[in-house]
Amino acid sequence: MNSSVEVEPLYQIDVRCPQCDIPYRTSRVRSRFKHAKQVDSDFCQHYSNERYNPDYYVVYVCPHCGCATTENSKKKWTDKQKAQFQERIGKQWTARDYGGERSWEVALQTYQLAVLTAQTIQESDRVLAGLLHHTAWLHRYRNNTEQELRYLKFALQAYVAVFENEAAELNDAKLIYMIGELYRRLGQYQDAAKCFARLIHDKKIMDAAMIRAAREQWAVMREEMQAQKLETPDDMFQEKRIVL
């Protein structure tokens, strides 16, 4: 007799809402079921089993008030933030539970709620950028290029705001790489070249993985530009002129 118990792909975690302070439960995907078959150059992961895509479960939505956050969101809200949320979102909320299994459509709803929540309470630019970037990935999963590029543009604006406002982390290699890669994906090659060149040439940046990724994407970008008969980054920039 086989006494082994089949492990469910989803498990529940406890979350306390920063708006109404009521605890609730939401689902996450177990690590053993996170099998990415492909990882894109902006770190979007594609999974063999779409049904248990971990990206679908990033956002926590309070069933009582509609507050949508992530593990990186603010855990404590001020009275002003609570009032702003209640005015814009809470008083229109109809109780519903996103705590179980999610489809692509439901996942998109949770991200839309999370973006609205983040904008309402003036959440950090890093958190907002991540939400917008993940929303772009959801559209990529459906090959909806128009919406993907739309959200990549929004995400890029938020990442640039992070770079501009967090002066203490100006050598955040992954952030510089991400900004460059989104510029490349949006066809803004000159700005992308500045970011990749900084990673390649700035001696203060020691992140070998990001330096390697920048070199790889520089080569990809060069091929794209040659195919479009554009001036390549090798011609546009000399090392001494690279500034970001």
Side-chain angles (χ1 to χ4, degrees):
M1 183 177 181
N2 189 351
S3 60
S4 63
V5 177
E6 183 176 351
V7 177
E8 292 293 327
L10 299 180
Y11 68 98
Q12 296 255 296
I13 62 170
D14 295 310
V15 180
R16 183 172 290 276
C17 177
Q19 164 66 7
C20 67
D21 202 40
I22 299 176
Y24 63 94
R25 308 201 85 195
T26 192
S27 295
R28 300 298 297 269
V29 178
R30 294 185 191 279
S31 297
R32 71 177 69 178
F33 293 94
K34 298 178 182 178
H35 302 302
K37 62 180 181 179
Q38 173 188 329
V39 181
D40 295 339
S41 54
D42 64 344
F43 309 119
C44 173
Q45 300 190 65
H46 299 260
Y47 295 89
S48 302
N49 189 342
E50 183 188 7
R51 182 178 176 185
Y52 300 117
N53 184 332
D55 285 343
Y56 290 5
Y57 300 89
V58 167
V59 177
Y60 312 150
V61 182
C62 175
H64 309 287
C65 69
C67 168
T69 59
T70 73
E71 65 181 359
N72 297 318
S73 301
K74 291 183 174 75
K75 301 298 188 290
K76 298 290 185 181
W77 288 8
T78 65
D79 290 341
K80 181 181 178 181
Q81 288 171 325
K82 292 180 179 182
Q84 289 171 329
F85 177 88
Q86 182 60 25
E87 179 62 26
R88 187 175 184 187
I89 302 172
K91 68 181 186 181
Q92 283 89 33
W93 176 253
T94 301
R96 51 192 179 277
D97 192 352
Y98 287 98
E101 185 174 326
R102 295 176 181 175
S103 63
W104 180 91
E105 291 77 12
V106 169
L108 181 60
Q109 290 174 21
T110 68
Y111 278 103
Q112 290 170 334
L113 274 170
V115 168
L116 185 58
T117 299
Q119 291 172 333
T120 299
I121 69 159
Q122 292 84 52
E123 181 59 88
S124 73
D125 290 317
R126 276 189 185 268
V127 169
L128 181 59
L131 291 169
L132 292 166
H133 201 173
H134 274 78
T135 305
W137 292 348
L138 285 186
H139 290 295
R140 187 179 303 172
Y141 297 143
R142 287 292 185 269
N143 298 313
N144 187 337
T145 303
E146 180 181 355
Q147 287 299 312
E148 177 194 343
L149 294 178
R150 177 170 173 256
Y151 277 96
L152 285 181
K153 183 178 180 180
F154 294 151
L156 173 60
Q157 291 169 349
Y159 282 128
V160 170
V162 175
F163 184 85
E164 291 176 344
N165 296 328
E166 297 185 9
E169 299 182 37
L170 289 182
N171 287 322
D172 186 333
K174 187 172 183 179
L175 176 61
I176 296 171
Y177 170 80
M178 189 64 76
I179 291 172
E181 176 58 13
L182 295 198
Y183 273 132
R184 184 195 69 78
R185 286 176 174 266
L186 291 166
Q188 296 174 237
Y189 295 125
Q190 185 166 337
D191 291 317
K194 290 179 182 178
C195 295
F196 294 149
R198 174 166 184 169
L199 287 169
I200 294 167
H201 297 299
D202 189 336
K203 302 304 182 185
K204 294 190 295 293
I205 295 176
M206 307 296 289
D207 189 327
M210 290 300 97
I211 294 170
R212 182 170 59 251
R215 291 185 183 278
E216 291 171 354
Q217 294 315 104
W218 181 285
V220 169
M221 180 174 64
R222 192 172 189 278
E223 291 178 1
E224 291 173 344
M225 296 176 75
Q226 287 176 332
Q228 297 175 48
K229 302 188 185 308
L230 299 173
E231 185 181 26
T232 65
D234 298 335
D235 301 321
M236 285 193 299
F237 292 98
Q238 297 296 326
E239 179 176 341
K240 65 182 179 180
R241 294 174 53 205
I242 300 303
V243 292
L244 181 61

